[in-house]
């Protein structure tokens, strides 16, 4: 499925949640996700090559985790991503299959997430990414064949503006943000 996605760093998580609650929109309970992101050899995101995430989702610590395989192919110029996902029963076997297909582990990203559905096709997430300061918000809209991805992307940017978020959209993935933060910190 095609999705338009806009991600920003929040200046204040509390202000963002408060703004949404003022219009009777409330986030669900926080849960934990961990992605191991695999890419083909010589991966180049600008060439819209696919990346595969082996995702662990823990919504309730009293219950077993859920595992999913998520394919993402970013089309930057057109402002959309192709995203497909399927539940995986055997995490280890799936990781072995990815290695056998020639994919290599590029990033690992853990996050605490809260989600809010704004309708059938629009979802907002607040993420606290492991090893990154602050909170991030992401709004996603599923696209139909009739949708112009650039128009939808601009509408999502405008939605953040209306919700009083002043930050500019971030084009990097969470994995890229975590990796770049490692290079930004001075060595001890």
């Amino acid at each position: 499925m095609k999705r338009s996605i806009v991600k920003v760093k929040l200046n204040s998580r509390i202000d963002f949640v408060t703004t949404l609650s003022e219009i009777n929109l409330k986030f669900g309970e926080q849960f934990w996700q961990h992605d191991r992101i695999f890419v083909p050899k010589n991966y180049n995101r600008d060439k819209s090559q696919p990346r595969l995430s082996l995702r662990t989702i823990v919504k309730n610590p009293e219950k077993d985790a859920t595992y999913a395989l998520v394919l993402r192919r970013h089309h930057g110029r057109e402002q959309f991503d192709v995203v497909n996902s399927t539940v995986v029963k055997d995490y280890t076997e799936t990781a072995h299959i990815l290695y056998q297909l020639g994919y290599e582990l590029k990033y690992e990203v853990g996050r605490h997430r809260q989600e809010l559905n704004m309708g059938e096709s629009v979802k907002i997430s607040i993420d606290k990414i492991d090893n990154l300061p602050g909170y991030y918000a992401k709004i996603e809209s599923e696209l139909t064949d009739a949708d112009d991805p650039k128009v939808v992307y601009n509408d999502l940017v405008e939605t953040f503006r209306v919700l009083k978020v002043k930050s500019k959209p971030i084009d990097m993935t969470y994995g890229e943000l975590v990796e770049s933060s490692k290079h930004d910190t001075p060595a001890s």
Side-chain angles (χ1 to χ4, degrees), residues 123-142:
K123 176 173 63 175
I124 295 180
S125 304
I126 295 178
D127 294 317
K128 174 63 181 122
I129 308 301
D130 293 351
N131 303 314
L132 287 179
Y135 287 86
Y136 293 81
K138 182 163 64 166
I139 187 168
E140 301 182 25
S141 179
E142 290 180 23

Side-chain angles (χ1 to χ4, degrees), residues 24-143:
N24 294 322
L25 295 173
K26 297 195 186 317
F27 283 90
E29 291 295 317
Q30 190 175 76
F31 61 96
W32 183 77
Q33 280 186 344
H34 182 269
D35 285 355
R36 293 178 67 205
I37 302 158
F38 294 83
V39 298
K41 287 183 173 39
N42 302 318
Y43 173 74
N44 185 335
R45 185 170 176 245
D46 293 334
K47 293 184 179 176
S48 94
Q49 291 177 298
R51 59 186 191 273
L52 294 166
S53 298
L54 194 48
R55 178 171 288 167
T56 303
I57 305 162
V58 178
K59 292 203 172 186
N60 180 345
E62 305 290 321
K63 296 184 178 179
D64 289 340
T66 303
Y67 305 109
L69 183 63
V70 181
L71 175 137
R72 255 181 216 282
R73 184 183 294 251
H74 180 68
H75 296 268
R77 288 189 190 131
E78 292 85 17
Q79 300 293 355
F80 74 90
D81 286 24
V82 173
V83 182
N84 292 298
S85 171
T86 189
V87 173
V88 170
K89 294 199 184 280
D90 189 326
Y91 182 96
T92 304
E93 187 67 25
T94 303
H96 287 298
I97 290 169
L98 293 176
Y99 285 121
Q100 290 299 314
L101 288 171
Y103 279 75
E104 48 193 34
L105 180 62
K106 180 79 170 172
Y107 307 113
E108 289 198 50
V109 178
R111 68 179 149 261
H112 289 87
R113 170 171 278 186
Q114 287 181 276
E115 294 179 334
L116 163 70
N117 290 321
M118 291 187 69
E120 289 183 32
S121 66
V122 178
K123 176 173 63 175
I124 295 180
S125 304
I126 295 178
D127 294 317
K128 174 63 181 122
I129 308 301
D130 293 351
N131 303 314
L132 287 179
Y135 287 86
Y136 293 81
K138 182 163 64 166
I139 187 168
E140 301 182 25
S141 179
E142 290 180 23
L143 301 173

